[in-house]
Amino acid sequence: MATLDSDDELAAATIGPLEPYAVKVVIEDYNPSWPGWYCEEEAAIRAALGALVLRIEHTGSTSVPGLAAKPVIDILLVIPDTTDEVAYVPALEGVGYTLRIREPDWYQHRCLVRRVEDGAPWSVNLHVFSPELGAPEIERILTFRDWLRTHDEDRAYYERTKRELAQHDWMFVQHYANAKSDVVEEILRRAQQG
């Protein structure tokens, strides 16, 4: 859950042009098709990468039954070494992904995307981590997801927050994500104490 607090940090991490987010953030009611979309993506990723896939998980709001979300499938992919981009990026490009974010100072995180506006059937953010370097963030992502799946009050609180924030105009979608950070941290503290 990187914050990329400044536009300069965002620009430095972005591969290709940093384009303003030209549309409103749209939060949709939970769509029961989202898990199926994830399963299709998982199958394509596994077919492309084979044994490089150490772990793959549906994460983000679309992975939480009943939670409204932006219709973007977030996927956590754990591979042996994110810095060895030649080992996995070309194969993922072959199934429609584009490397958009490289964060060497934040767990060596990489993010590849597929977008509806580029011809994909649905939009995807594929977050790639290595097991050792990414361990703290992998744990946070999964703890947050699993807590929301089993705690109705926090799920409703998070949804209210997202819907309220979606009413604002954001230059970059990262600004919207950053605006949720305090609520995410609050919920995550409860989950970790939980």
Side-chain angles (χ1 to χ4, degrees):
M1 298 178 202
T3 57
L4 294 172
D5 292 321
S6 73
D7 290 349
D8 288 340
E9 289 175 342
L10 181 58
T14 301
I15 298 164
L18 178 60
E19 298 172 358
Y21 196 63
V23 295
K24 297 278 291 178
V25 171
V26 175
I27 303 295
E28 296 182 1
D29 289 340
Y30 180 77
N31 182 339
S33 296
W34 290 338
W37 296 358
Y38 163 76
C39 288
E40 288 190 39
E41 295 300 317
E42 178 184 347
I45 292 163
R46 285 186 182 280
L49 297 182
L52 283 179
V53 177
L54 302 178
R55 184 174 192 173
I56 188 166
E57 298 270 353
H58 187 188
T59 60
S61 294
T62 62
S63 71
V64 180
L67 180 59
K70 295 191 316 297
V72 178
I73 304 301
D74 282 293
I75 299 174
L76 167 68
L77 172 64
V78 181
I79 64 170
D81 181 5
T82 59
T83 66
D84 185 9
E85 292 179 8
V86 73
Y88 66 98
V89 171
L92 291 171
E93 288 173 338
V95 293
Y97 284 91
T98 302
L99 179 62
R100 287 292 290 153
I101 300 288
R102 179 184 295 121
E103 296 182 274
D105 296 331
W106 190 71
Y107 306 113
Q108 285 291 348
H109 169 250
R110 304 297 189 267
C111 183
L112 293 90
V113 301
R114 284 176 31 119
R115 293 289 180 255
V116 168
E117 54 269 22
D118 296 328
W122 43 75
S123 292
V124 182
N125 293 329
L126 177 60
H127 299 278
V128 187
F129 292 97
S130 300
E132 292 82 19
L133 288 174
E137 186 60 15
I138 294 166
E139 182 180 340
R140 284 169 48 85
I141 290 169
L142 297 176
T143 297
F144 187 73
R145 178 200 65 188
D146 294 347
W147 183 264
L148 290 181
R149 284 178 171 176
T150 58
H151 291 80
D152 295 345
E153 285 183 23
D154 276 336
R155 185 171 54 248
Y157 174 40
Y158 187 50
E159 180 173 317
R160 280 192 312 275
T161 301
K162 294 192 314 172
R163 288 188 184 276
E164 289 167 11
L165 291 172
Q167 300 306 309
H168 299 276
D169 292 322
W170 304 99
M171 178 176 285
F172 301 111
V173 75
Q174 184 65 46
H175 294 166
Y176 161 78
N178 291 350
K180 299 184 300 180
S181 293
D182 288 345
V183 170
V184 168
E185 291 303 318
E186 176 187 343
I187 293 170
L188 196 51
R189 277 192 299 276
R190 282 195 285 278
Q192 290 166 335
Q193 294 166 356

